[in-house]
Amino acid sequence: MSKKCITNLRHKDFYPIKGVGYEGFFRGYFYYENQYVTHENFTSLFNNDDLFSMEFARWNGEYALTFTNENKTTLVTDMKRSIPLFYSTDKEGNWIVQDFIEPHEGMKLRKESEEEFLVTGFVFRDKTLYENWYQVPAVSTVTLTDQAKQTYYYSYVLEKEPESIDSFAEELEHVFHSLFDDLADRLQGKQIVIPLSGGYDSRLIALMLVERGLKDSITTFTYGRPGNGESTVSKQIADRLGLKWKYFAYDKKMWEEMYRSPDWKDYVVYSSNGVSVAHLQDFPSTKLLVQEENLKDAVFLPGHSLDYLAGGHLPYESIVNKDFEVSEIQTFIMNKHFRLWELSGEKSYASTTIGKGLIKDIEVYSNYTNERVTSIIDEWNWRERQSKFIINSVRVYEYFGQGWSIPLWDDRLIHFFSKVPVDLKYKKYLYDYTLHKMYPDYYPLPEKPGPENSMRNKYGLLYPLLRKIYRMKNLYRKYFDEPMEWYGIYPTYKQYVKSLTFKRDGQKYEHPYNINSFIVKDMIQMIKEITK
């Protein structure tokens, strides 16, 4: 006999559904066969047989679903894991399904997960920080019977198509118009908020929505040290488009007070769910914006995650036309993502438990050509960092009672870029080229990037030494130079310098990469105090 399943969902937009042969809960929306699906029409479109034979990769949207019949419960996340689901068992052996994990006294942390979290800012695959608690990864279903079975329903590692750049650009422009037409329909009557950084992605969101007549509904905002470059560009873009623009000044004193506040600690618990570091950057500005604008269920539209999807995270060495070794692919991924803290001396994460786990992820595939290797790199980034750490940024909007959508990670863009050859994806060449074709007054014509973009290629054998010197120099100066001023979480420079190394289980960690390096260390300590 299967275990009983107890569902405990926190978010107000998880709605009960009851259809022919099943019942469950649904949050979000998706498009399927030209129909817009929400909790309101879900059960009229799908019966039990439909769901148990469904190809979920055909559902384009932002959603989470649980459904149960007499034999089993199935949990489904969208392609991005935009809405998390977690599961465990209680003392009686029943399944527990939640959309959150709240640490409490007596919970135990997984050592491997703790190491992953410390080094990358997120926890890999279906694990969480806590023993006996699991997550549903992106593009996954989990079936709960006597045991839990997790299955991926889509792979990004696909064959590429030999089209010209102009053909691809024409198709990409069509995809943009299609997805923003749908977004504009969903946003009718809503307050719209765009975190306008001044970069290409948030600028595109603003341009497309203004074209669709939503200018009067849009508020844009940015933040940072007064006079920083990004906020200057942000203001220029907002003015050109005639958009309302808000600016929030950040300084070290503000960060010190915020980082020690009960609100921050409460938000860390709310947003982390034992999977990802809590996002610091938008927390103060979102809080102030909601208060000053009296926002009520506004929709925030951050510009995630098209930079990676369009090829912006690929190292030059991975696009070279050759056959690669598994260890080379492991190094590409570790160099990009295993860097919040370095092991002291010459030690590498390659031979550690988490490094060996990465090898297993890679060995699922074979035939390591540059096209397949770059897709493997992007898929790992997608399933792990993007769908956990980057997506987790939207929790700050939820924390302050607001809605969100991530238009530049629409499934149509996933399917499009999965077929683009790497020579057009590298350094976002096709994406930037398409933006120039669409909006030449807002985006310059890019030059096709080449090996000059590789620092390792440029400096050769000197690269490791020069990288180490640069990183050390940067560590000691960024307390004063950081445009966001967030190293003010340390009241004095002396305290900051003291925090640049620490020991854990006899191992010394050093060379923190960015602000998240400090936050993950503090979060682990805070969670241990809560759960001891």
Side-chain angles (χ1 to χ4, degrees):
M1 182 177 177
S2 299
K3 300 176 182 179
K4 181 181 177 183
C5 185
I6 301 167
T7 304
N8 178 24
L9 301 171
R10 173 176 65 185
H11 198 277
K12 63 181 177 62
D13 288 338
F14 256 113
Y15 293 95
I17 54 175
K18 188 170 184 177
V20 177
Y22 69 92
E23 60 182 17
F25 294 87
F26 182 82
R27 176 185 166 197
Y29 74 93
F30 62 88
Y31 296 90
Y32 176 69
E33 295 185 349
N34 297 319
Q35 295 192 78
Y36 177 57
V37 183
T38 69
H39 68 281
E40 293 180 327
N41 62 344
F42 187 98
T43 56
S44 66
L45 297 173
F46 304 104
N47 61 35
N48 185 68
D49 292 339
D50 294 330
L51 292 180
F52 282 102
S53 62
M54 180 55 63
E55 296 178 26
F56 291 106
R58 298 173 64 192
W59 289 10
N60 169 28
E62 298 164 338
Y63 66 88
L65 167 68
T66 79
F67 60 95
T68 303
N69 67 5
E70 61 183 15
N71 298 314
K72 57 188 174 183
T73 295
T74 301
L75 316 178
V76 189
T77 61
D78 60 33
M79 298 272 272
K80 288 84 66 178
R81 186 191 166 275
S82 62
I83 299 170
L85 287 172
F86 307 95
Y87 59 97
S88 184
T89 54
D90 63 15
K91 293 179 180 179
E92 287 72 41
N94 298 313
W95 291 114
I96 306 170
V97 174
Q98 298 186 169
D99 60 337
F100 69 98
I101 306 177
E102 189 166 346
H104 57 77
E105 184 179 345
M107 294 179 77
K108 294 182 179 180
L109 273 63
R110 284 190 180 96
K111 280 293 182 183
E112 181 182 347
S113 297
E114 193 178 326
E115 184 78 359
E116 292 168 353
F117 190 76
L118 182 66
V119 174
T120 66
F122 48 89
V123 180
F124 303 172
R125 294 173 285 281
D126 65 343
K127 302 188 301 296
T128 70
L129 275 172
Y130 309 108
E131 290 184 2
N132 303 318
W133 273 101
Y134 297 86
Q135 60 176 306
V136 184
V139 293
S140 281
T141 63
V142 171
T143 303
L144 303 176
T145 52
D146 290 332
Q147 303 293 324
K149 181 182 179 182
Q150 184 249 318
T151 305
Y152 290 109
Y153 59 76
Y154 176 83
S155 174
Y156 192 67
V157 184
L158 302 170
E159 294 300 316
K160 311 306 175 187
E161 296 184 0
E163 299 290 341
S164 69
I165 187 170
D166 286 306
S167 294
F168 275 126
E170 183 178 349
E171 183 178 351
L172 180 54
E173 181 175 357
H174 175 76
V175 171
F176 281 138
H177 284 297
S178 174
L179 74 89
F180 275 97
D181 285 345
D182 289 339
L183 177 64
D185 287 342
R186 299 198 306 274
L187 292 175
Q188 292 299 322
K190 295 278 190 179
Q191 293 176 289
I192 302 166
V193 181
I194 303 176
L196 191 62
S197 66
Y200 278 21
D201 300 332
S202 59
R203 186 183 312 181
L204 176 62
I205 294 172
L207 281 161
M208 296 294 275
L209 293 183
V210 167
E211 276 188 353
R212 283 154 179 78
L214 296 174
K215 181 173 71 173
D216 292 341
S217 301
I218 297 173
T219 297
T220 66
F221 74 102
T222 193
Y223 40 72
R225 177 192 294 170
N228 75 83
E230 281 200 0
S231 62
T232 299
V233 175
S234 172
K235 178 69 161 60
Q236 292 170 349
I237 297 298
D239 286 348
R240 287 181 68 182
L241 293 174
L243 296 173
K244 183 176 183 178
W245 183 80
K246 300 276 291 186
Y247 168 72
F248 299 98
Y250 285 177
D251 58 46
K252 288 186 175 64
K253 182 174 176 55
M254 180 213 70
W255 285 120
E256 179 187 353
E257 292 175 353
M258 187 225 73
Y259 200 65
R260 284 155 181 76
S261 69
D263 282 352
W264 170 251
K265 293 179 180 178
D266 184 59
Y267 165 67
V268 166
V269 170
Y270 175 91
S271 65
S272 172
N273 292 311
V275 170
S276 170
V277 62
H279 272 251
L280 179 80
Q281 186 165 328
D282 281 7
F283 185 81
S285 55
T286 301
K287 179 180 180 180
L288 291 171
L289 183 66
V290 169
Q291 292 173 349
E292 292 182 9
E293 295 297 307
N294 192 30
L295 297 181
K296 304 293 185 184
D297 200 27
V299 181
F300 282 68
L301 302 174
H304 315 317
S305 278
L306 191 48
D307 58 338
Y308 108 83
L309 195 60
H313 291 191
L314 296 172
Y316 174 76
E317 291 75 18
S318 71
I319 77 168
V320 176
N321 189 13
K322 56 169 271 191
D323 291 327
F324 290 85
E325 299 294 329
V326 171
S327 60
E328 293 179 280
I329 308 170
Q330 180 198 43
T331 299
F332 293 146
I333 294 174
M334 288 195 307
N335 284 348
K336 180 67 177 178
H337 302 294
F338 287 42
R339 58 184 183 179
L340 290 187
W341 290 96
E342 292 182 0
L343 298 173
S344 64
E346 300 301 318
K347 297 179 181 178
S348 165
Y349 289 109
S351 59
T352 64
T353 300
I354 62 175
K356 293 175 181 177
L358 176 56
I359 289 287
K360 292 180 180 179
D361 292 340
I362 296 166
E363 288 179 337
V364 170
Y365 299 101
S366 59
N367 187 25
Y368 300 122
T369 64
N370 62 343
E371 294 290 5
R372 288 179 66 80
V373 165
T374 50
S375 292
I376 291 167
I377 292 169
D378 277 344
E379 180 169 79
W380 196 92
N381 184 358
W382 164 17
R383 288 182 179 178
E384 303 299 341
R385 184 176 188 269
Q386 299 294 321
S387 69
K388 294 168 183 174
F389 169 65
I390 298 298
I391 283 286
N392 198 45
S393 67
V394 304
R395 306 283 88 87
V396 71
Y397 311 135
E398 291 181 0
Y399 183 76
F400 290 109
Q402 309 305 309
W404 52 266
S405 188
I406 307 172
L408 297 186
W409 204 2
D410 186 277
D411 296 6
R412 283 162 281 195
L413 291 168
I414 294 174
H415 294 303
F416 173 81
F417 280 106
S418 71
K419 65 185 182 182
V420 175
V422 69
D423 70 305
L424 296 181
K425 283 180 63 176
Y426 177 60
K427 292 294 180 184
K428 307 193 289 102
Y429 178 53
L430 170 62
Y431 173 48
D432 292 351
Y433 181 87
T434 304
L435 294 183
H436 172 73
K437 290 288 187 181
M438 293 172 65
Y439 301 107
D441 292 339
Y442 287 88
Y443 299 97
L445 178 66
E447 294 185 10
K448 188 169 186 179
E452 71 279 356
N453 286 277
S454 167
M455 294 296 102
R456 189 177 297 276
N457 186 72
K458 183 176 181 179
Y459 294 109
L461 295 175
L462 288 175
Y463 174 74
L465 176 61
L466 293 174
R467 178 178 178 272
K468 187 173 183 179
I469 292 171
Y470 170 79
R471 189 161 180 174
M472 287 299 295
K473 182 179 178 182
N474 191 45
L475 269 180
Y476 286 95
R477 75 182 185 198
K478 64 184 179 183
Y479 182 84
F480 304 103
D481 295 346
E482 169 54 51
M484 294 297 135
E485 292 279 24
W486 46 40
Y487 294 103
I489 64 173
Y490 296 101
T492 68
Y493 182 64
K494 183 178 180 180
Q495 288 173 290
Y496 168 76
V497 171
K498 187 178 179 180
S499 72
L500 297 180
T501 62
F502 72 98
K503 287 187 176 180
R504 172 179 170 271
D505 297 336
Q507 172 65 56
K508 184 180 179 182
Y509 294 81
E510 59 187 4
H511 302 157
Y513 178 69
N514 61 22
I515 189 63
N516 293 311
S517 306
F518 304 98
I519 298 175
V520 293
K521 182 181 68 172
D522 292 346
M523 280 183 62
I524 289 173
Q525 182 59 38
M526 187 184 82
I527 289 169
K528 286 183 174 180
E529 290 174 0
I530 294 172
T531 57
K532 66 182 179 182

